[in-house]
């Protein structure tokens, strides 16, 4: 019988099961041919029943993810599994939070290609030798992507990652995040703190990118979330993120929520050019340090240094009321 594929297994196990299923299919075809060639005992020979084959389970990818990764997938099909430089050039910056998602998606694309090639072999064994080379190339690509990801993960373990945050102003100059905190019940402050910390230490808790095609600014933003709380942010450069807003989210399909987010994104889009110009301005960044310190104070975090926390949590001079 054919073996069911579990997408959560490691790559080598999945490809081994695919090959085992291929061998099983070849045996089934041989049995079918033998039945077809056997002499009939009846005047009318019944067509042999073909053993039903369980479909190989595929890794499901949302349409949004497919659209976003389409440029990567198109070029990926042209790369050889031995071409390390081309593979590295194709992938996004390893510091990007999309890096892992792209690698996993491309590995899934190779698994899909292997499955289709095996099906061709089952239907026409004469092409097996030719297609085996293509299957081997896809396996090399899967392994190469795995090695690149492992290398990057090992680097991250050796480095202490610490992102910088700033608090985006509104068009009138107010700091929206500070106003948001004042409007949220205090019992949520610990959760807000944890989400902001996840941006600082690079873990990005329950990260989600916005996909609203009607608003380019909002589509370029993302959020971290947990237990009803959302923190919306925008990446400004390699290690600097602007906190745009934080709020309690109670309904995923609320039209009012979408309209409000589009309005906030539009206002942020008008001030972002000024923010980008001032990232190297010492006076602007010093003022941002004060805003961030005030944010921690309102959240109940006492930090005498006025600096944001790095990976590993609070230092000896910090406490939560």
């Amino acid at each position: 019988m054919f073996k069911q594929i579990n997408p959560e297994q490691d790559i080598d196990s999945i490809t081994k099961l695919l090959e085992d299923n291929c061998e099983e299919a070849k045996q089934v075809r041989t049995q079918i041919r033998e039945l077809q060639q056997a002499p009939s005992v009846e005047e009318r020979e019944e067509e042999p029943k073909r053993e039903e084959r369980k479909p190989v389970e595929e890794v499901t990818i949302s349409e949004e993810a497919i659209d976003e990764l389409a440029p990567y997938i198109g070029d990926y099909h042209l790369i050889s599994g031995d071409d390390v430089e081309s593979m590295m050039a194709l992938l996004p910056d390893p510091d990007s939070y999309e890096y892992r998602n792209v690698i996993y998606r491309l590995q899934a694309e190779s698994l899909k290609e292997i499955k289709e090639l095996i099906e061709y072999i089952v239907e026409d064994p004469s092409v097996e030798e030719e297609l085996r080379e293509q299957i081997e190339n896809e396996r090399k690509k899967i392994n190469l992507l795995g090695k690149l990801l492992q290398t990057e993960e090992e680097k991250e373990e050796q480095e202490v990652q610490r992102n910088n945050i700033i608090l985006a102003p509104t068009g009138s100059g107010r700091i929206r995040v500070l106003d948001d905190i004042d409007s949220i019940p205090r019992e949520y402050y610990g959760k807000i703190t944890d989400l902001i910390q996840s941006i600082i230490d690079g873990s990005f808790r329950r990260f989600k990118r916005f996909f609203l095609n009607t608003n380019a600014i909002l589509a370029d933003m993302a959020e971290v979330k947990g237990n009803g709380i959302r923190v919306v942010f925008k990446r400004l450069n390699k290690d600097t993120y602007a906190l745009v807003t934080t709020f309690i989210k109670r309904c995923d399909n609320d039209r009012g929520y979408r309209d409000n987010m589009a309005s906030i994104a539009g206002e942020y889009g008008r001030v972002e050019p000024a923010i980008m110009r001032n990232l190297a301005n010492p006076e602007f960044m010093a003022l941002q340090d004060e805003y961030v310190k005030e944010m921690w104070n309102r959240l109940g975090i006492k930090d005498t240094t006025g600096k944001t926390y790095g990976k590993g949590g609070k230092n000896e001079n910090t406490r939560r009321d």
Side-chain angles (χ1 to χ4, degrees):
M1 296 296 293
F2 293 94
K3 301 174 182 178
Q4 194 72 17
I5 303 298
N6 180 359
E8 296 183 358
Q9 292 177 295
D10 61 83
I11 298 299
D12 289 337
S13 297
I14 292 176
T15 53
K16 178 63 166 59
L17 288 176
L18 286 170
E19 292 180 346
D20 290 345
N21 283 346
C22 179
E23 294 299 323
E24 179 69 18
K26 289 168 64 176
Q27 294 179 17
V28 170
R29 289 178 61 88
T30 299
Q31 294 173 3
I32 291 174
R33 284 196 296 269
E34 291 175 351
L35 290 173
Q36 289 174 331
Q37 296 170 3
S40 176
V41 295
E42 300 178 358
E43 291 184 2
R44 182 178 180 183
E45 180 178 348
E46 293 186 0
E47 190 173 325
K49 293 184 178 180
R50 183 168 181 168
E51 182 176 344
E52 184 176 352
R53 186 159 55 95
K54 291 183 179 179
V56 177
E57 186 175 343
E58 296 183 22
V59 178
T60 57
I61 304 293
S62 68
E63 291 184 3
E64 290 177 345
I66 291 175
D67 291 341
E68 183 182 8
L69 301 180
Y72 294 104
I73 294 172
D75 292 340
Y76 178 70
H77 286 303
L78 305 177
I79 296 178
S80 165
D82 296 316
D83 192 346
V84 180
E85 292 185 0
S86 294
M87 188 69 76
M88 293 177 66
L90 169 68
L91 297 173
D93 191 315
D95 292 324
S96 169
Y97 38 66
E98 296 177 336
Y99 186 73
R100 287 180 177 81
N101 289 339
V102 171
I103 285 183
Y104 294 148
R105 178 65 184 93
L106 295 181
Q107 287 182 322
E109 190 68 18
S110 280
L111 287 174
K112 177 183 176 183
E113 185 73 11
I114 291 173
K115 171 183 173 291
E116 292 176 353
L117 291 171
I118 288 177
E119 289 176 347
Y120 286 140
I121 293 174
V122 171
E123 295 298 324
D124 183 5
S126 66
V127 300
E128 179 174 359
E129 183 176 352
E130 176 185 352
L131 297 188
R132 279 291 176 184
E133 295 181 4
Q134 297 182 37
I135 291 175
E136 181 59 26
N137 184 57
E138 294 301 323
R139 293 191 65 176
K140 287 182 178 179
K141 289 159 72 172
I142 291 172
N143 291 332
L144 175 56
L145 288 169
K147 290 178 180 178
L148 291 175
L149 181 58
Q150 181 180 0
T151 298
E152 198 58 37
E153 289 176 344
E154 290 174 352
K155 286 182 181 178
E156 291 178 357
E157 290 178 359
Q158 296 173 1
E159 299 174 356
V160 176
Q161 183 174 357
R162 180 185 180 278
N163 294 318
N164 300 310
I165 59 172
I166 68 170
L167 307 187
T170 64
S172 63
R174 295 188 63 85
I175 303 301
R176 185 186 301 275
V177 168
L178 297 181
D179 291 342
D180 291 338
I181 291 172
D182 288 342
S183 68
I184 294 174
R186 293 186 63 86
E187 60 262 30
Y188 288 95
Y189 283 10
K191 297 172 184 176
I192 295 174
T193 298
D194 291 341
L195 291 176
I196 295 174
Q197 285 281 26
S198 78
I199 297 173
I200 294 172
D201 67 30
S203 61
F204 297 100
R205 181 173 299 179
R206 296 183 64 191
F207 167 87
K208 180 183 178 182
R209 182 180 294 281
F210 289 100
F211 288 100
L212 297 180
N213 296 330
T214 57
N215 190 311
I217 296 294
L218 184 56
D220 202 28
M221 291 182 180
E223 67 178 9
V224 286
K225 56 184 180 178
N227 298 318
I229 286 291
R230 304 289 191 270
V231 175
V232 178
F233 62 95
K234 171 72 183 297
R235 187 183 191 191
L236 302 179
N237 58 33
K238 180 180 179 180
D239 59 0
T240 303
Y241 294 79
L243 304 190
V244 179
T245 185
T246 182
F247 54 91
I248 300 174
K249 176 74 163 34
R250 295 187 173 90
C251 179
D252 290 332
N253 297 312
D254 182 19
R255 178 63 182 273
Y257 156 72
R258 290 177 174 270
D259 291 343
N260 184 54
M261 283 305 306
S263 175
I264 291 174
E267 186 171 24
Y268 170 78
R270 290 188 288 273
V271 301
E272 184 181 62
I275 293 175
M276 297 299 292
R277 287 195 302 269
N278 281 283
L279 289 179
N281 182 340
E283 293 182 1
F284 174 82
M285 296 308 294
L287 181 60
Q288 281 296 324
D289 280 345
E290 293 301 315
Y291 288 149
V292 171
K293 181 179 180 180
E294 176 61 21
M295 177 192 70
W296 290 131
N297 288 339
R298 295 192 188 191
L299 289 172
I301 302 295
K302 303 299 183 184
D303 181 4
T304 58
T305 67
K307 301 294 183 180
T308 57
Y309 306 129
K311 190 171 183 179
K314 311 172 198 46
N315 56 42
E316 293 180 357
N317 295 322
T318 65
R319 66 179 177 85
R320 178 178 294 173
D321 289 342

